Amino acid sequence: MQIRHVKHPFGAVIDENCKVLILGSVPSVKSVEGNFYYMHPKNRFWKVMSALLGADLYSADIPTRINIMTKRHIALYDSVEECDILGSSDSKITNVVPADIPALIAKSQITHIFCNGAASYGNLIKYHPELESITTKLPSTSPANAAFSLDKLIEEWQVVMNAIK
């Protein structure tokens, strides 16, 4: 495995009506290859969102995922704009250039940020401590987070739905 330099390769999923933002950390190797969020087939993000939204986002194409997420007022991005990373390991992120999350949410109705795992949360709060009061760290949907079953992730992530009501 080698260190790769990542400059965020695709834009945020967001529109002016979004109420919550889900932040990952850095696009994985598979996400960069697929040019979209959570493209590793073992990452459970799209299965969790499918259960929460009552729509099959796991099998859906990218335009359908974008459409359903924004219609439900959910935005997606990552806390890191650019970095060096060993493979796709969040614990091996260095030379971070943070994403400008305050500028991103200023163009929306976002009142809450949910971080998909500790690396996302840690980077967001390190570079944007003023956002801590509106941020919640959720358990990672990564396959590396074997401590959480799919059912347990769905249960924990239910707070996202509560925030958009």
Side-chain angles (χ1 to χ4, degrees):
M1 211 178 328
Q2 63 185 15
I3 293 177
R4 62 187 177 107
H5 183 78
V6 178
K7 181 160 176 46
H8 209 285
F10 40 88
V13 171
I14 190 167
D15 69 19
E16 67 279 357
N17 297 313
C18 285
K19 295 178 181 178
V20 301
L21 170 63
I22 298 173
L23 282 181
S25 53
V26 177
S28 70
V29 171
K30 291 288 187 190
S31 290
V32 170
E33 289 171 2
N35 202 37
F36 200 63
Y37 302 91
Y38 307 105
M39 295 301 281
H40 193 291
K42 291 189 178 177
N43 190 302
R44 297 164 293 173
F45 179 80
W46 293 114
K47 288 182 179 181
V48 169
M49 295 312 297
S50 293
L52 295 178
L53 298 174
D56 182 9
L57 293 169
Y58 183 76
S59 302
D61 61 17
I62 292 170
T64 300
R65 288 175 176 177
I66 292 169
N67 184 44
I68 291 172
M69 295 295 280
T70 56
K71 278 192 173 184
R72 296 299 295 270
H73 310 297
I74 301 170
L76 291 177
Y77 202 54
D78 290 307
S79 60
V80 175
E81 188 67 32
E82 190 172 350
C83 70
D84 295 321
I85 183 171
L86 182 63
S88 295
S89 175
D90 279 352
S91 65
K92 304 294 185 187
I93 298 171
T94 58
N95 303 318
V96 170
V97 175
D100 190 352
I101 302 304
L104 181 70
I105 66 175
K107 301 172 189 172
S108 70
Q109 296 178 36
I110 291 171
T111 58
H112 205 91
I113 299 169
F114 294 94
C115 289
N116 188 349
S120 170
Y121 181 82
N123 281 300
L124 177 68
I125 300 310
K126 178 178 180 179
Y127 297 104
H128 302 293
E130 71 277 11
L131 297 176
E132 187 170 14
S133 66
I134 64 164
T135 302
T136 300
K137 179 176 65 172
L138 292 174
S140 175
T141 59
S142 165
N145 183 13
F148 278 79
S149 67
L150 178 59
D151 287 343
K152 183 67 174 161
L153 284 171
I154 293 166
E155 180 182 319
E156 294 286 325
W157 278 68
Q158 184 62 46
V159 295
V160 174
M161 299 310 297
N162 298 339
I164 59 173
K165 289 183 179 173

